[in-house]
Amino acid sequence: MQVALFITCFNDTLFPDTGKSVVSIVERLGHQVIFPEEQTCCGQMHFNTGYQSEAMPLIRRFVEIFSQYEVIVSPSASCVGMVRDMYRFAAEVHQDAKLANEVALLADRVYEFSEFIVNRLGIQDVGAYYPHRVTYHPTCHSLRGIKVGDAPEQLLRAVRGIDYVPLNQSNECCGFGGTFAVKNADTSMAMLGDKIRHILDTRAEVCVAADNSCLMHIGGALHRQRSGVRIAHLAEILAVQE
Amino acid sequence: MKKPESVIIELAPRFEVGAKSALQNTQLRRNMGKATQTIRGKRAAVVDELSDWESLRVAGQHIKDDVMQHLDTYLVQLEDAITRAGGHVHWAKDAHEANEIVTHLIQATGSKEIIKVKSLTTDEIRLNEALELAGITAIETDLAELIIQLAHEKSSHILVPAIHKNRSEIRALFQKSMNLPDLTDEPKELAAAARQFLREKFMSVRVATSGANFAIAETGSVCVVESEGNGRMCLTMPDVLISVMGIEKILPRWQDLGVFMQLLPRSSTGERMNPYTSIWTGVHADDGPQEFHLVLLDNGRSDVLADSVGRQTLHCIRCSACINVCPVYERTGGHAYGSVYPGPIGAILTPQLVGTAYADSLPYASSLCGACYDVCPVRINIPEVLVHLRGKVVAEKQTQLKSWFDGENIGMKAMATTFAHRSTYELAQQAGQLAQWPFVYEGYIEHGPGPLGKWTAMRDFPAIPPQSFRDWWRERQRDE
Amino acid sequence: MSNSSRNAMLAKIRTAIMTGSRGDFHEAHTSVPYSAYDDGNVAARIELFAHRVAEYKAWVGHCTSVGIAQAVAERLMIRGKKRMVIPSDLPDSWLPKGFDFVRDSQLDRTVIAGMDGVLSGAALGIAQTGTIVLDGGAFQGRRMISLLPDYHLCIIRAQDIVGVVPEAFAQLATTRQSPMQPYTFISGPSATSDIELNRVEGVHGPRTLDVFIVE
Ligand code: SF4
């Protein structure tokens, strides 16, 4: 199978290791990765912050670039949610029937990474080995937005050597929320404080999620506190082998 | 543009400002945290009990869709049915008209006092203040409303207005205002004190006002859902009953109550059924008030109806499930929202009722975590409406000259231009990698410049790695 | 004022309906398969009703149709109630000797409030939610008598208990009169959750509720 990687501007720039891990896992499972180099940003930040007319060209651009691919995979649940749910909405409110049609054809072919492995490929064990204590934070967009269910946990539980500890009150938002994290910084930090407390309670060495954006927020506080707990995208754990 | 006085919204500070002071109140945070956790658990338990919950939600959504699409027809049908049953229907296009109607009706009875069932709609139009100006005292009879009224405070939750107060705070208040020095902080005793305090009013006051949870177009029946019995008292004991209802509260058919009387109690107080529900139709011979008035209130609702995305906001049955589950509300409490409608529903309803220009921080009072949408019994896609309203806020801002000097606006526009082409995007990536070096320490930025400083004031920011993913990819392609 | 506002409001609503339609709205009549009935197991239904009513901290007992008076006597003794208001049509056969039953024929509110309690029948019960519905019909009287006294002893016939909430509304639609009766749905004694969200029994309505299911 040919898999087009939608890396997202955020991961491309700040978390390249996540992308490298996705490539190595998908290839390890016997599929071919293509990286459409024209891609930049899906427009999520602009659209969700209210800069809709600024987001529209980015949305149209994304659809144009990715429409030709059969299977599109991305290591970001929130960007997948943007394409799958908000693009339709964007086309509706901007009364762009052509875009609406194109989005309808494209949306179902865009997968979040864990969803792709577990639901599309039907694989739980990707042959990973990771002898560390790990906890998992289900990000809001993966849990309630695109509803990946327990796919990430299935993948984690199948990792050899892993000491997987569930997170208390895991369904609660970490407080990131895109520009919310700076517009409502105090509230965001109060939410993050509780999330950090639950993470530290697990005594995990690594906190894993399906969105690096939330992880950056969580990791920013873990690092500021010199907690010694690291963050890692799910793919980065699954890429490690014996 | 509408004036903010038409709806209850204080000249409130921006949400983030109100939130900041609330966050510093540790007692408040403890009370709120405990209360919201309790109610979430209760709701989840009674919702999980119903295997057809999702079907009920869809049914609720469809019924409300239908209501909105035929609202004019149903309102006329309701008016007709109530009139035939001996009641009177009044139409009020805004708060001012509604208050005037209610005031005149009360004045016609000669009564200087009314008893009142908790009603958000009458809070929204600030009925109590309007009555006070006319020399009429409104006595709130719901326990929490009474607490708020005695404490001269404002509600912080639509269902449990005194959710921010704990038992010992309530005890102190009752000791003082009811002159009961020996009162303990046992909730049972506190409730008994309220019973005692209000009994005489129920027996003697001749006029009552209420809101309405539902009104049935088909039959002309009006429905009030409550717990304490103060509703039954107000709906049964007086001679005259005046109910104020938002036009969107209507349901087409009697049988629709079979859906909504499951959705509402389980979503709001987390009970299978609330203790008391009263349904009446016009006036009933020898039973209850012999004069009944229903005031139908628009007050901005038809503007919401006209907005295709915002319209679903009118589906709301004010159950407060979205508020209870909201992680933002849990931290800030209700007052930060500066409106009778706090939490997620407030964040979408208030800006639409008063105009986004008057409440432009509210659509941003959310991390878009989606917990509200998940619990909403009528499936209002709150995150979608929030994003829609953010779009309006920005579009409005951009028509003004001052947006030219607005850092966010400038930055967003610049980024959009950069992202529009691969070449500029890649250049920006490289520029970022280079420009950050003075700030990086062991892979993290702890004191960022400019807008990044807002982030790093509270948490560290990862340094941009020297090689982007696409650089790595290209290198790999070359090597192969 | 009223008439011009009415027309202006309706006109505005009509325009709004057009502009704000999303195109994919649903009709209320769209059939959505929520449960409209329980599984038809009558014994289980009655047991569930008793269980759910009791969960609201009401007391629930069973009696036979010939044993109502005796059951009432026992309950009133335990509760220590003597003077009870009753609807004007309550059958004599329900009333034990040795108590003071006062029939409500437009009694003054202060007289009713001064009673030890009220004894009434019910229109129907809902098992799923432990709810009693009063509609002012047979053996129920006007709303005031089941509201003012602090104690309510309610007698409900087993055959009047339905399974789920939609059934109750369907049932009530068949017994609807013109003009329509007022309805009161009662689920447990008066309660409030206003103090720290704990359900506390007893505010303005009857603080004690006893229920007999007549089989
Ligand atoms: S928006 Fe939904 S969840 Fe929130 S109060 Fe309204 S009906 Fe309840």
Side-chain angles (χ1 to χ4, degrees), chain B residues 35 52 65-66 72 79 97 144 167 195 203 227-228 237 254 271-273 275-277 279 284 302 311 384, chain C residues 5-6 14 17 26-28 35 55 109 169 180 183 185 187 190-192 194 196-197 199 203-205:
Chain B
D52 61 342
D65 255 3
D66 178 285
D72 56 333
E79 177 186 41
E97 261 188 29
R167 59 177 80 185
R195 179 185 169 101
M203 298 297 278
S227 295
E228 297 169 8
M237 304 304 293
W254 173 259
E271 294 167 298
R272 297 189 181 102
M273 193 64 96
Y276 297 134
T277 298
I279 306 173
H284 305 282
S302 52
R311 178 186 279 196
E384 179 184 275
Chain C
S5 287
R6 177 186 189 274
R14 285 183 185 125
I17 288 174
H26 305 88
E27 298 285 333
S35 320
E55 279 192 3
R109 55 181 66 191
F169 285 96
M180 233 166 122
Y183 299 93
F185 286 55
S187 306
S190 152
T192 181
D194 281 352
E196 296 178 3
L197 289 173
R199 181 163 166 147
V203 195
H204 305 294

Short mmCIF file of all heavy atoms in Angstrom, two decimals, chain B residues 35 52 65-66 72 79 97 144 167 195 203 227-228 237 254 271-273 275-277 279 284 302 311 384, chain C residues 5-6 14 17 26-28 35 55 109 169 180 183 185 187 190-192 194 196-197 199 203-205:
data_model
loop_
_atom_site.label_atom_id
_atom_site.label_comp_id
_atom_site.label_asym_id
_atom_site.label_seq_id
_atom_site.Cartn_x
_atom_site.Cartn_y
_atom_site.Cartn_z
N ALA B 35 -17.80 19.82 43.65
CA ALA B 35 -19.17 19.78 43.14
C ALA B 35 -19.24 19.23 41.72
O ALA B 35 -20.08 18.39 41.41
CB ALA B 35 -19.79 21.18 43.19
N ASP B 52 -30.63 3.02 25.37
CA ASP B 52 -31.04 3.80 24.20
C ASP B 52 -30.71 5.29 24.33
O ASP B 52 -31.31 6.14 23.67
CB ASP B 52 -32.55 3.63 23.95
CG ASP B 52 -33.39 4.12 25.12
OD1 ASP B 52 -32.85 4.26 26.23
OD2 ASP B 52 -34.59 4.36 24.91
N ASP B 65 -34.73 20.36 15.98
CA ASP B 65 -34.53 20.80 14.59
C ASP B 65 -35.87 21.19 13.99
O ASP B 65 -36.00 22.22 13.35
CB ASP B 65 -33.98 19.62 13.77
CG ASP B 65 -32.50 19.77 13.47
OD1 ASP B 65 -31.89 20.75 13.94
OD2 ASP B 65 -31.97 18.91 12.75
N ASP B 66 -36.83 20.32 14.20
CA ASP B 66 -38.16 20.53 13.68
C ASP B 66 -38.80 21.79 14.27
O ASP B 66 -39.41 22.59 13.57
CB ASP B 66 -38.99 19.27 13.99
CG ASP B 66 -40.42 19.39 13.53
OD1 ASP B 66 -41.20 20.11 14.19
OD2 ASP B 66 -40.77 18.77 12.52
N ASP B 72 -42.67 29.44 13.92
CA ASP B 72 -43.84 30.32 13.82
C ASP B 72 -45.14 29.54 13.97
O ASP B 72 -46.03 29.91 14.74
CB ASP B 72 -43.82 31.11 12.50
CG ASP B 72 -43.72 30.20 11.27
OD1 ASP B 72 -43.18 29.08 11.41
OD2 ASP B 72 -44.20 30.60 10.20
N GLU B 79 -50.32 29.33 21.28
CA GLU B 79 -51.13 30.47 21.70
C GLU B 79 -52.61 30.11 21.65
O GLU B 79 -53.38 30.37 22.57
CB GLU B 79 -50.85 31.66 20.77
CG GLU B 79 -51.69 32.90 21.07
CD GLU B 79 -51.47 33.98 20.04
OE1 GLU B 79 -51.39 33.68 18.82
OE2 GLU B 79 -51.38 35.16 20.44
N GLU B 97 -39.86 44.92 26.90
CA GLU B 97 -41.29 44.64 26.69
C GLU B 97 -41.79 43.57 27.66
O GLU B 97 -42.88 43.70 28.22
CB GLU B 97 -41.52 44.16 25.26
CG GLU B 97 -42.01 45.25 24.35
CD GLU B 97 -42.41 44.73 22.98
OE1 GLU B 97 -42.84 43.55 22.85
OE2 GLU B 97 -42.30 45.51 22.04
N ALA B 144 -31.25 27.61 46.35
CA ALA B 144 -30.01 28.25 45.91
C ALA B 144 -30.23 29.71 45.55
O ALA B 144 -29.41 30.57 45.86
CB ALA B 144 -29.42 27.50 44.73
N ARG B 167 -21.31 24.38 52.64
CA ARG B 167 -22.34 24.36 53.68
C ARG B 167 -22.06 25.34 54.82
O ARG B 167 -22.97 25.94 55.37
CB ARG B 167 -22.55 22.94 54.20
CG ARG B 167 -21.32 22.30 54.78
CD ARG B 167 -21.63 20.94 55.33
NE ARG B 167 -21.69 19.93 54.27
CZ ARG B 167 -22.04 18.68 54.48
NH1 ARG B 167 -22.41 18.28 55.68
NH2 ARG B 167 -22.04 17.82 53.50
N ARG B 195 -37.45 26.08 54.53
CA ARG B 195 -38.86 25.70 54.50
C ARG B 195 -39.67 26.61 55.41
O ARG B 195 -40.71 27.15 55.03
CB ARG B 195 -38.99 24.23 54.95
CG ARG B 195 -40.43 23.71 54.98
CD ARG B 195 -40.49 22.29 55.53
NE ARG B 195 -41.85 21.87 55.81
CZ ARG B 195 -42.56 21.08 55.00
NH1 ARG B 195 -42.05 20.63 53.88
NH2 ARG B 195 -43.80 20.75 55.32
N MET B 203 -48.19 30.67 51.55
CA MET B 203 -49.59 30.65 51.98
C MET B 203 -50.30 31.97 51.68
O MET B 203 -51.52 31.99 51.56
CB MET B 203 -49.67 30.36 53.49
CG MET B 203 -49.11 29.01 53.90
SD MET B 203 -49.99 27.61 53.19
CE MET B 203 -51.37 27.50 54.33
N SER B 227 -37.17 20.37 41.99
CA SER B 227 -36.84 19.40 43.03
C SER B 227 -37.54 19.65 44.36
O SER B 227 -37.97 18.73 45.03
CB SER B 227 -35.34 19.41 43.33
OG SER B 227 -34.61 18.99 42.23
N GLU B 228 -37.61 20.91 44.75
CA GLU B 228 -37.88 21.19 46.15
C GLU B 228 -39.35 21.27 46.52
O GLU B 228 -39.70 21.14 47.68
CB GLU B 228 -37.21 22.52 46.53
CG GLU B 228 -35.70 22.45 46.40
CD GLU B 228 -35.04 23.82 46.49
OE1 GLU B 228 -35.74 24.80 46.82
OE2 GLU B 228 -33.84 23.90 46.24
N MET B 237 -50.49 27.61 44.56
CA MET B 237 -51.11 28.36 45.64
C MET B 237 -51.65 29.75 45.26
O MET B 237 -52.69 30.16 45.77
CB MET B 237 -50.12 28.50 46.81
CG MET B 237 -49.59 27.17 47.35
SD MET B 237 -50.89 26.04 47.88
CE MET B 237 -51.52 26.95 49.29
N TRP B 254 -47.24 16.38 22.62
CA TRP B 254 -47.28 15.86 23.99
C TRP B 254 -46.28 14.72 24.16
O TRP B 254 -45.54 14.65 25.12
CB TRP B 254 -48.71 15.39 24.28
CG TRP B 254 -48.90 14.67 25.57
CD1 TRP B 254 -48.99 13.33 25.75
CD2 TRP B 254 -49.03 15.27 26.87
NE1 TRP B 254 -49.17 13.05 27.08
CE2 TRP B 254 -49.21 14.21 27.79
CE3 TRP B 254 -49.01 16.59 27.33
CZ2 TRP B 254 -49.36 14.44 29.16
CZ3 TRP B 254 -49.17 16.81 28.70
CH2 TRP B 254 -49.34 15.74 29.59
N GLU B 271 -30.25 12.46 38.02
CA GLU B 271 -31.26 11.60 38.65
C GLU B 271 -32.08 10.95 37.54
O GLU B 271 -32.18 11.48 36.44
CB GLU B 271 -32.20 12.43 39.51
CG GLU B 271 -31.53 13.04 40.71
CD GLU B 271 -32.42 14.10 41.37
OE1 GLU B 271 -32.74 15.10 40.73
OE2 GLU B 271 -32.78 13.90 42.53
N ARG B 272 -32.66 9.81 37.87
CA ARG B 272 -33.54 9.17 36.88
C ARG B 272 -34.72 10.09 36.60
O ARG B 272 -35.21 10.19 35.50
CB ARG B 272 -34.04 7.84 37.40
CG ARG B 272 -32.92 6.87 37.62
CD ARG B 272 -33.44 5.49 37.94
NE ARG B 272 -32.32 4.61 38.17
CZ ARG B 272 -31.92 4.22 39.38
NH1 ARG B 272 -32.59 4.61 40.47
NH2 ARG B 272 -30.88 3.45 39.52
N MET B 273 -35.18 10.71 37.67
CA MET B 273 -36.26 11.68 37.51
C MET B 273 -36.10 12.67 38.66
O MET B 273 -35.73 12.31 39.76
CB MET B 273 -37.62 10.98 37.57
CG MET B 273 -38.79 11.83 37.12
SD MET B 273 -38.69 12.31 35.38
CE MET B 273 -39.71 11.05 34.62
N PRO B 275 -37.50 15.22 41.54
CA PRO B 275 -38.62 14.97 42.47
C PRO B 275 -39.99 15.44 41.95
O PRO B 275 -40.95 14.69 42.04
CB PRO B 275 -38.21 15.73 43.72
CG PRO B 275 -36.71 15.68 43.69
CD PRO B 275 -36.34 15.79 42.24
N TYR B 276 -40.08 16.65 41.42
CA TYR B 276 -41.40 17.14 41.02
C TYR B 276 -41.40 17.73 39.62
O TYR B 276 -40.54 18.53 39.27
CB TYR B 276 -41.86 18.26 41.97
CG TYR B 276 -42.05 17.81 43.39
CD1 TYR B 276 -41.54 18.58 44.44
CD2 TYR B 276 -42.73 16.64 43.71
CE1 TYR B 276 -41.71 18.20 45.76
CE2 TYR B 276 -42.90 16.25 45.02
CZ TYR B 276 -42.39 17.03 46.05
OH TYR B 276 -42.55 16.64 47.34
N THR B 277 -42.42 17.36 38.84
CA THR B 277 -42.66 18.01 37.56
C THR B 277 -44.13 18.41 37.53
O THR B 277 -45.00 17.60 37.83
CB THR B 277 -42.36 17.06 36.40
OG1 THR B 277 -40.98 16.70 36.45
CG2 THR B 277 -42.65 17.72 35.06
N ILE B 279 -47.22 19.98 35.18
CA ILE B 279 -47.67 20.31 33.82
C ILE B 279 -49.09 20.85 33.92
O ILE B 279 -49.95 20.20 34.51
CB ILE B 279 -47.67 19.05 32.92
CG1 ILE B 279 -46.30 18.37 32.94
CG2 ILE B 279 -48.07 19.42 31.49
CD1 ILE B 279 -46.26 17.03 32.21
N HIS B 284 -57.32 25.60 35.53
CA HIS B 284 -58.09 24.41 35.88
C HIS B 284 -59.12 24.79 36.93
O HIS B 284 -58.77 25.38 37.95
CB HIS B 284 -57.16 23.32 36.42
CG HIS B 284 -56.05 22.99 35.48
ND1 HIS B 284 -56.23 22.19 34.38
CD2 HIS B 284 -54.74 23.40 35.44
CE1 HIS B 284 -55.08 22.10 33.72
NE2 HIS B 284 -54.17 22.82 34.33
N SER B 302 -34.48 35.32 17.81
CA SER B 302 -34.72 35.18 16.37
C SER B 302 -33.46 35.50 15.57
O SER B 302 -33.31 35.02 14.45
CB SER B 302 -35.90 36.05 15.93
OG SER B 302 -35.72 37.38 16.36
N ARG B 311 -27.87 28.50 15.14
CA ARG B 311 -29.24 28.12 15.44
C ARG B 311 -29.34 26.98 16.45
O ARG B 311 -30.19 26.99 17.34
CB ARG B 311 -29.97 27.73 14.16
CG ARG B 311 -31.39 27.27 14.40
CD ARG B 311 -32.05 26.74 13.15
NE ARG B 311 -32.56 27.84 12.32
CZ ARG B 311 -33.44 27.65 11.33
NH1 ARG B 311 -33.89 26.45 11.07
NH2 ARG B 311 -33.86 28.67 10.63
N GLU B 384 -18.13 23.52 17.49
CA GLU B 384 -18.36 24.08 16.16
C GLU B 384 -18.91 25.51 16.25
O GLU B 384 -18.46 26.41 15.53
CB GLU B 384 -19.36 23.18 15.41
CG GLU B 384 -19.69 23.66 14.02
CD GLU B 384 -20.77 22.79 13.36
OE1 GLU B 384 -20.42 21.75 12.78
OE2 GLU B 384 -21.97 23.15 13.44
N SER C 5 -46.45 43.66 18.56
CA SER C 5 -45.27 42.87 18.87
C SER C 5 -45.43 41.46 18.33
O SER C 5 -44.49 40.88 17.80
CB SER C 5 -45.06 42.79 20.38
OG SER C 5 -44.61 44.01 20.86
N ARG C 6 -46.62 40.94 18.49
CA ARG C 6 -46.87 39.58 18.03
C ARG C 6 -46.57 39.45 16.53
O ARG C 6 -45.84 38.58 16.10
CB ARG C 6 -48.34 39.22 18.29
CG ARG C 6 -48.76 37.86 17.80
CD ARG C 6 -50.26 37.67 17.99
NE ARG C 6 -50.65 36.30 17.73
CZ ARG C 6 -50.93 35.85 16.52
NH1 ARG C 6 -50.85 36.66 15.49
NH2 ARG C 6 -51.29 34.58 16.36
N ARG C 14 -40.22 34.25 10.89
CA ARG C 14 -40.39 33.63 9.56
C ARG C 14 -39.19 33.91 8.66
O ARG C 14 -38.70 33.02 7.97
CB ARG C 14 -41.69 34.11 8.91
CG ARG C 14 -42.88 33.44 9.57
CD ARG C 14 -44.22 33.80 8.95
NE ARG C 14 -45.26 33.17 9.77
CZ ARG C 14 -46.27 33.80 10.33
NH1 ARG C 14 -46.42 35.12 10.15
NH2 ARG C 14 -47.13 33.17 11.08
N ILE C 17 -36.25 31.82 9.89
CA ILE C 17 -36.36 30.39 9.55
C ILE C 17 -35.76 30.15 8.16
O ILE C 17 -35.02 29.20 7.94
CB ILE C 17 -37.83 29.93 9.59
CG1 ILE C 17 -38.31 29.85 11.03
CG2 ILE C 17 -38.00 28.59 8.88
CD1 ILE C 17 -39.78 29.55 11.20
N HIS C 26 -34.17 18.06 10.52
CA HIS C 26 -34.99 16.86 10.66
C HIS C 26 -36.39 17.22 11.09
O HIS C 26 -36.61 18.23 11.72
CB HIS C 26 -34.37 15.93 11.70
CG HIS C 26 -32.96 15.59 11.40
ND1 HIS C 26 -31.91 16.37 11.83
CD2 HIS C 26 -32.41 14.58 10.69
CE1 HIS C 26 -30.78 15.84 11.40
NE2 HIS C 26 -31.05 14.76 10.71
N GLU C 27 -37.33 16.36 10.78
CA GLU C 27 -38.69 16.53 11.25
C GLU C 27 -38.81 15.82 12.58
O GLU C 27 -38.16 14.81 12.82
CB GLU C 27 -39.68 15.90 10.25
CG GLU C 27 -39.66 16.54 8.88
CD GLU C 27 -40.35 17.90 8.85
OE1 GLU C 27 -41.24 18.14 9.68
OE2 GLU C 27 -39.97 18.73 8.00
N ALA C 28 -39.66 16.34 13.46
CA ALA C 28 -39.85 15.69 14.76
C ALA C 28 -40.36 14.28 14.55
O ALA C 28 -40.15 13.39 15.36
CB ALA C 28 -40.85 16.48 15.59
N SER C 35 -36.47 3.37 23.23
CA SER C 35 -37.39 2.40 23.80
C SER C 35 -38.70 3.06 24.21
O SER C 35 -38.70 3.97 25.04
CB SER C 35 -36.78 1.75 25.04
OG SER C 35 -35.43 1.49 24.82
N GLU C 55 -35.43 3.90 46.32
CA GLU C 55 -34.11 4.54 46.18
C GLU C 55 -34.15 6.04 46.42
O GLU C 55 -33.13 6.65 46.69
CB GLU C 55 -33.51 4.23 44.81
CG GLU C 55 -32.86 2.87 44.80
CD GLU C 55 -31.99 2.62 43.58
OE1 GLU C 55 -31.83 3.52 42.73
OE2 GLU C 55 -31.50 1.50 43.48
N ARG C 109 -56.82 26.64 52.85
CA ARG C 109 -55.42 26.20 52.75
C ARG C 109 -54.75 26.03 54.10
O ARG C 109 -53.92 25.13 54.28
CB ARG C 109 -54.62 27.14 51.85
CG ARG C 109 -54.67 28.61 52.27
CD ARG C 109 -53.88 29.49 51.32
NE ARG C 109 -54.47 29.52 49.99
CZ ARG C 109 -53.88 30.03 48.91
NH1 ARG C 109 -52.67 30.55 49.02
NH2 ARG C 109 -54.47 30.04 47.75
N PHE C 169 -46.38 8.93 28.98
CA PHE C 169 -46.99 10.02 28.23
C PHE C 169 -48.01 9.49 27.22
O PHE C 169 -49.03 10.13 26.97
CB PHE C 169 -45.92 10.90 27.58
CG PHE C 169 -45.24 11.78 28.60
CD1 PHE C 169 -44.04 11.40 29.19
CD2 PHE C 169 -45.83 12.96 29.02
CE1 PHE C 169 -43.43 12.19 30.15
CE2 PHE C 169 -45.24 13.77 29.99
CZ PHE C 169 -44.04 13.37 30.56
N MET C 180 -57.96 20.00 29.69
CA MET C 180 -56.97 19.05 30.19
C MET C 180 -56.75 19.16 31.68
O MET C 180 -56.85 20.25 32.26
CB MET C 180 -55.64 19.34 29.49
CG MET C 180 -55.06 18.11 28.85
SD MET C 180 -53.78 18.61 27.73
CE MET C 180 -52.43 17.73 28.41
N TYR C 183 -51.11 17.98 35.74
CA TYR C 183 -50.35 16.78 36.10
C TYR C 183 -49.25 17.12 37.08
O TYR C 183 -48.60 18.17 36.97
CB TYR C 183 -49.72 16.14 34.87
CG TYR C 183 -50.73 15.70 33.83
CD1 TYR C 183 -51.10 16.55 32.79
CD2 TYR C 183 -51.31 14.44 33.90
CE1 TYR C 183 -52.04 16.15 31.85
CE2 TYR C 183 -52.25 14.03 32.96
CZ TYR C 183 -52.60 14.89 31.94
OH TYR C 183 -53.53 14.49 31.00
N PHE C 185 -45.86 15.09 38.55
CA PHE C 185 -45.00 13.90 38.58
C PHE C 185 -44.20 13.95 39.88
O PHE C 185 -43.53 14.94 40.14
CB PHE C 185 -44.03 13.89 37.39
CG PHE C 185 -44.67 13.56 36.07
CD1 PHE C 185 -45.76 14.27 35.61
CD2 PHE C 185 -44.15 12.53 35.29
CE1 PHE C 185 -46.35 13.96 34.38
CE2 PHE C 185 -44.72 12.21 34.07
CZ PHE C 185 -45.83 12.93 33.61
N SER C 187 -41.35 12.03 42.19
CA SER C 187 -40.33 10.99 42.28
C SER C 187 -39.63 11.14 43.62
O SER C 187 -38.67 11.89 43.74
CB SER C 187 -39.34 11.11 41.12
OG SER C 187 -40.04 11.11 39.89
N SER C 190 -39.91 15.54 48.50
CA SER C 190 -39.27 16.81 48.17
C SER C 190 -37.79 16.73 48.51
O SER C 190 -37.40 16.15 49.51
CB SER C 190 -39.97 17.90 48.97
OG SER C 190 -39.09 18.96 49.23
N ALA C 191 -36.96 17.31 47.67
CA ALA C 191 -35.52 17.21 47.90
C ALA C 191 -34.82 18.40 47.28
O ALA C 191 -35.38 19.10 46.45
CB ALA C 191 -34.97 15.92 47.30
N THR C 192 -33.61 18.61 47.68
CA THR C 192 -32.79 19.63 47.04
C THR C 192 -31.37 19.13 46.92
O THR C 192 -30.92 18.32 47.73
CB THR C 192 -32.80 20.96 47.83
OG1 THR C 192 -32.00 21.89 47.10
CG2 THR C 192 -32.21 20.81 49.22
N ASP C 194 -29.09 21.58 46.32
CA ASP C 194 -28.46 22.90 46.23
C ASP C 194 -27.29 23.10 47.18
O ASP C 194 -26.54 24.05 47.05
CB ASP C 194 -29.50 23.99 46.48
CG ASP C 194 -30.34 24.24 45.22
OD1 ASP C 194 -29.99 23.67 44.18
OD2 ASP C 194 -31.31 24.99 45.31
N GLU C 196 -23.94 21.77 48.14
CA GLU C 196 -22.83 20.90 47.74
C GLU C 196 -23.28 19.71 46.90
O GLU C 196 -22.66 18.66 46.91
CB GLU C 196 -22.05 20.43 48.98
CG GLU C 196 -21.38 21.58 49.72
CD GLU C 196 -20.65 21.13 50.97
OE1 GLU C 196 -20.61 19.92 51.23
OE2 GLU C 196 -20.13 21.99 51.68
N LEU C 197 -24.38 19.88 46.19
CA LEU C 197 -24.90 18.86 45.28
C LEU C 197 -25.25 17.54 45.94
O LEU C 197 -25.31 16.51 45.30
CB LEU C 197 -23.94 18.63 44.12
CG LEU C 197 -23.85 19.77 43.11
CD1 LEU C 197 -22.74 19.50 42.10
CD2 LEU C 197 -25.16 19.94 42.37
N ARG C 199 -28.09 15.28 47.59
CA ARG C 199 -29.55 15.27 47.62
C ARG C 199 -29.97 15.20 49.08
O ARG C 199 -29.62 14.27 49.80
CB ARG C 199 -30.11 14.08 46.82
CG ARG C 199 -31.64 14.05 46.83
CD ARG C 199 -32.19 13.15 45.73
NE ARG C 199 -33.62 12.89 45.96
CZ ARG C 199 -34.51 12.72 44.98
NH1 ARG C 199 -34.15 12.81 43.73
NH2 ARG C 199 -35.77 12.47 45.26
N VAL C 203 -37.80 19.74 51.50
CA VAL C 203 -37.81 21.19 51.52
C VAL C 203 -39.28 21.60 51.64
O VAL C 203 -39.83 21.53 52.72
CB VAL C 203 -37.10 21.82 50.31
CG1 VAL C 203 -36.81 23.30 50.59
CG2 VAL C 203 -35.77 21.11 50.04
N HIS C 204 -39.93 21.94 50.51
CA HIS C 204 -41.28 22.50 50.65
C HIS C 204 -42.41 21.49 50.50
O HIS C 204 -43.45 21.65 51.09
CB HIS C 204 -41.45 23.65 49.66
CG HIS C 204 -40.39 24.67 49.80
ND1 HIS C 204 -40.28 25.45 50.93
CD2 HIS C 204 -39.37 25.01 49.01
CE1 HIS C 204 -39.24 26.24 50.81
NE2 HIS C 204 -38.66 26.00 49.65
N GLY C 205 -42.22 20.50 49.69
CA GLY C 205 -43.27 19.51 49.53
C GLY C 205 -43.25 18.56 50.71
O GLY C 205 -42.48 18.74 51.65
#
